[in-house]
Amino acid sequence: MTSIYVGNLAYEATEQELREAFEQYGEVSSVTIIVDRATGRPRGFAFVEMPDAGAAAQAIEGLHLARIAGRAVTVNEARPKTQRPRRPGGGRNWSGRRSW
């Protein structure tokens, strides 16, 4: 399974538009447009998963800088997600004391 990052995505783009663009190169397992947790609005990037590595490589090459939903998108193989340390916060003010 190859995970593909799609950046510079128009906020109006739909999962169906992405699926159709990538299906020109082979089978698409999933399409996920990333949305902001707080607002529910798209964040301007997505991930597409393709089971065939060869088809995924062709899709990356063929769709990089192609126009999807009116914008030229950047397409490349997604990097593995890394563990990031949790940021401090959650009810504390700048001095480190609880604010309630």
Side-chain angles (χ1 to χ4, degrees):
M1 185 72 62
T2 302
S3 183
I4 302 167
Y5 169 82
V6 182
N8 197 40
L9 191 61
Y11 296 126
E12 300 80 27
T14 65
E15 289 183 2
Q16 185 62 34
E17 287 174 303
L18 281 173
R19 181 175 294 278
E20 289 172 2
F22 279 85
E23 281 179 341
Q24 296 175 48
Y25 297 92
E27 181 185 348
V28 173
S29 298
S30 68
V31 176
T32 306
I33 295 177
I34 306 303
V35 296
D36 185 273
R37 287 185 203 157
T39 64
R41 292 181 46 205
R43 293 187 58 197
F45 66 97
F47 293 96
V48 176
E49 288 190 336
M50 298 180 77
D52 180 3
Q58 289 178 348
I60 290 168
E61 185 177 322
L63 292 173
H64 182 65
L65 300 179
R67 289 199 168 278
I68 297 176
R71 289 184 78 172
V73 295
T74 58
V75 180
N76 50 50
E77 189 166 350
R79 291 179 283 198
K81 188 174 182 177
T82 59
Q83 284 295 95
R84 296 185 300 181
R86 292 184 56 93
R87 294 180 9 200
R92 297 183 187 273
N93 64 17
W94 65 272
S95 67
R97 289 182 248 165
R98 292 199 183 270
S99 57
W100 56 87

